[in-house]
Amino acid sequence: MYLPPTVTPRAFERLAEIGAADQGQALRVAVEGGGCSGFQYEIALDNPKDDDLVLEGSGQKVVVDSVSLPFLENAVIDFSEELIGARFVINNPNATSSCGCGTSFSM
């Protein structure tokens, strides 16, 4: 049994700021093969699909497809604002290493 990822209040607040739910969309977090470390995160606004895990908060949705779910077990989806920019980030306890930008990881 997998522990689903969680979403921070800050990530849900950012989705509300950009009006994702107002457009009928959710933040999709997926894992695909590739990147400099073996796997990479794909993060985009998308329409929820029937087989997605839906995480809800503050009237917003974050969705994860069934193939990506095992790779994101117990991960935390957050939003970060730093001098170099603002972005959604994944804190993944399953990743054994990641690239410097945080979009690619290995297990």
Side-chain angles (χ1 to χ4, degrees):
M1 180 171 173
Y2 293 108
L3 293 173
T6 57
V7 182
T8 65
R10 183 172 41 204
F12 282 128
E13 289 168 12
R14 179 60 179 152
L15 285 171
E17 287 173 11
I18 62 176
D22 297 338
Q23 301 169 39
Q25 296 194 314
L27 182 73
R28 177 168 301 282
V29 178
V31 174
E32 296 184 356
C36 55
S37 296
F39 296 100
Q40 62 187 6
Y41 298 113
E42 292 292 326
I43 300 172
L45 290 179
D46 194 11
N47 295 315
K49 296 182 176 47
D50 290 338
D51 67 339
D52 287 338
L53 169 71
V54 179
L55 306 165
E56 295 186 67
S58 302
Q60 303 298 313
K61 295 179 182 178
V62 174
V63 295
V64 179
D65 65 87
S66 59
V67 174
S68 298
L69 193 54
F71 296 100
L72 295 168
E73 181 181 7
N74 208 26
V76 176
I77 301 163
D78 197 4
F79 184 76
S80 173
E81 287 187 87
E82 300 173 355
L83 290 175
I84 60 171
R87 63 190 173 119
F88 288 97
V89 295
I90 313 296
N91 297 313
N92 191 342
N94 306 303
T96 56
S97 65
S98 63
C99 66
C101 65
T103 60
S104 178
F105 68 100
S106 63
M107 294 181 76

